Amino acid sequence: MKGRMLKKGDLILIGIVVIAAVAFIVPRYWSGQESEKNHIENRVVHIEVDGKAYKTLPLTEEEQLFTIQTDKGFNQVKIHDGGVEMLDADCPDKLCLGFGFVTRPGQQIVCLPHRVSVFIGVESGEELEVDDVVG
């Protein structure tokens, strides 16, 4: 049995798919990287305990370690490289450690047993970007 040769139509279809993929990926990659770097100076990390403001820290590239100590336990937060992550906690389930490294306004890390919430926001006067609208 002979190998099947690609026809002219097949090559055109493959070319269209590749061009479409590049057209969607490249602008998103470039604009995402530049806008993230350009707007980091306007972002802050808000920490709430029991639904009340606890502390607000600047979002920086430089490493900052911060421990939240409450009567329910402790959570250790690390701000670095334009994002924030929960490094350690003494809660029983440790689900808050699974949120990973968050970098965008509106993203949040929550520790329910300690009632701690850490989220990225923007300085007042600036609006959050909307990722998607559900109707």
Side-chain angles (χ1 to χ4, degrees):
M1 186 169 154
K2 288 186 176 182
R4 184 170 180 247
M5 298 292 291
L6 291 177
K7 296 180 183 174
K8 184 178 179 180
D10 295 335
L11 293 174
I12 291 172
L13 181 61
I14 290 170
I16 291 171
V17 169
V18 169
I19 290 170
V22 169
F24 283 107
I25 293 171
V26 170
R28 177 174 276 191
Y29 176 76
W30 279 340
S31 68
Q33 293 254 335
E34 291 173 13
S35 66
E36 294 290 322
K37 297 287 183 192
N38 291 341
H39 296 293
I40 189 170
E41 65 272 0
N42 298 329
R43 295 182 182 171
V44 292
V45 176
H46 296 287
I47 301 171
E48 294 180 352
V49 176
D50 287 325
K52 297 176 185 150
Y54 182 78
K55 192 162 192 85
T56 299
L57 300 165
L59 186 63
T60 61
E61 294 286 332
E62 295 78 33
E63 186 176 301
Q64 303 176 60
L65 287 173
F66 184 75
T67 302
I68 304 154
Q69 185 69 49
T70 68
D71 58 343
K72 295 175 178 70
F74 81 91
N75 296 77
Q76 187 176 40
V77 175
K78 182 178 180 181
I79 300 170
H80 64 100
D81 299 321
V84 62
E85 65 183 318
M86 189 80 68
L87 277 187
D88 195 14
D90 64 351
C91 54
D93 58 11
K94 300 204 185 288
L95 290 177
C96 54
L97 303 181
F99 281 85
F101 183 66
V102 298
T103 59
R104 297 177 59 200
Q107 289 183 317
Q108 188 169 13
I109 301 170
V110 178
C111 180
L112 288 176
H114 294 167
R115 300 183 53 93
V116 171
S117 175
V118 178
F119 61 96
I120 296 178
V122 291
E123 289 181 350
S124 57
E126 222 182 306
E127 293 184 21
L128 288 176
E129 295 176 19
V130 177
D131 281 345
D132 214 349
V133 176
V134 179

